[in-house]
Amino acid sequence: GAGVSQSPSNKVTEKGKDVELRCDPISGHTALYWYRQSLGQGLEFLIYFQGNSAPDKSGLPSDRFSAERTGGSVSTLTIQRTQQEDSAVYLCASSSGRRAGELFFGEGSRLTVL
Amino acid sequence: RKEVEQDPGPFNVPEGATVAFNCTYSNSASQSFFWYRQDCRKEPKLLMSVYSSGNEDGRFTAQLNRASQYISLLIRDSKLSDSATYLCVVNPRYSGGGADGLTFGKGTHLIIQP
């Protein structure tokens, strides 16, 4: 498709398990972002990739969170030893940079940690 | 003071009415401003950029007041389909706010009633 694709759309896991969330950005977009949104809350920045530059990891809440972007395209967000407070919608966005502030978001991955 | 603040609402407005809400930002050096729209359980989408001179897009008007450090969004002749959460997004000059400096407000919830 033409938009940002995320998978899985829903993930239920048990506390302590590891999860991987995948993001396929719009083709040609050099910037990729991960945010998370808890129920009724705003977007919390997690990590940002821009081309071949070192990623901005300043938003990752703990060392249990990591992300990779392979070949400048697909990105995977990994959460190790999940906790209940990790439950949220994880949103991926990409940008071409041609229009400042225009991010295209995927539909998100809803994570529930039991 | 939070970086970007919005009245969470909800704003309950009858169809056809005009509604306006503001967003304040703390960093006086902020350079670019945007309004995003997020429908219930959907991803955010860019609604409009906010230019220094103010700008209009159909029924929507965005204004920037640098002296008082706020931006506003005015919706005229509101439609039922305008019901959504409106996110204010500010790009400060520094990167502490996250990727590209983009900082999202928590949003204002708008409900248009028939």
Side-chain angles (χ1 to χ4, degrees):
Chain A
V4 176
S5 178
Q6 290 188 246
S7 61
S9 56
N10 278 286
K11 175 72 176 178
V12 180
T13 190
E14 294 179 346
K15 178 182 173 181
K17 300 285 188 182
D18 297 351
V19 296
E20 283 190 354
L21 308 177
R22 176 188 166 106
C23 173
D24 207 334
I26 293 173
S27 178
H29 280 193
T30 57
L32 186 147
Y33 311 74
W34 282 99
Y35 290 85
R36 73 176 174 182
Q37 188 173 34
S38 301
L39 188 62
Q41 299 298 310
L43 272 67
E44 177 187 2
F45 165 72
L46 297 177
I47 189 169
Y48 161 60
F49 297 89
Q50 172 59 273
N52 295 320
S53 303
D56 176 356
K57 304 180 181 180
S58 60
L60 294 178
S62 77
D63 58 9
R64 296 186 296 105
F65 289 72
S66 63
E68 290 184 340
R69 188 179 186 192
T70 54
S73 182
V74 172
S75 177
T76 302
L77 176 69
T78 301
I79 309 173
Q80 296 178 309
R81 305 181 302 281
T82 52
Q83 304 294 312
Q84 288 184 331
E85 61 263 29
D86 299 335
S87 297
V89 176
Y90 289 81
L91 290 161
C92 174
S94 70
S95 171
S96 67
R98 286 193 292 272
R99 184 180 175 190
E102 183 171 38
L103 273 59
F104 293 85
F105 284 85
E107 294 186 349
S109 293
R110 182 175 299 276
L111 175 66
T112 303
V113 182
L114 301 176
Chain B
R1 182 179 181 182
K2 295 179 184 176
E3 289 187 62
V4 178
E5 284 198 78
Q6 297 184 249
D7 182 341
F11 283 50
N12 289 281
V13 174
E15 189 176 10
T18 295
V19 59
F21 29 84
N22 293 340
C23 162
T24 59
Y25 60 94
S26 60
N27 187 345
S28 59
S30 297
Q31 291 299 310
S32 48
F33 310 87
F34 313 90
W35 284 103
Y36 273 70
R37 170 191 170 131
Q38 185 172 25
D39 293 308
C40 186
R41 299 177 77 86
K42 295 288 189 181
E43 72 276 19
K45 293 182 180 178
L46 179 65
L47 177 65
M48 57 197 304
S49 304
V50 186
Y51 303 125
S52 297
S53 56
N55 49 300
E56 191 173 307
D57 183 1
R59 298 181 293 107
F60 296 80
T61 300
Q63 295 279 352
L64 167 63
N65 185 317
R66 285 193 183 275
S68 300
Q69 294 181 213
Y70 73 86
I71 65 172
S72 63
L73 180 67
L74 180 103
I75 306 174
R76 289 182 299 278
D77 187 24
S78 54
K79 312 291 185 189
L80 295 177
S81 57
D82 294 334
S83 297
T85 296
Y86 291 83
L87 306 173
C88 169
V89 184
V90 175
N91 187 0
R93 294 299 295 270
Y94 64 91
S95 62
D100 281 345
L102 288 174
T103 302
F104 283 76
K106 292 189 175 183
T108 295
H109 188 39
L110 175 65
I111 301 170
I112 306 300
Q113 296 174 329

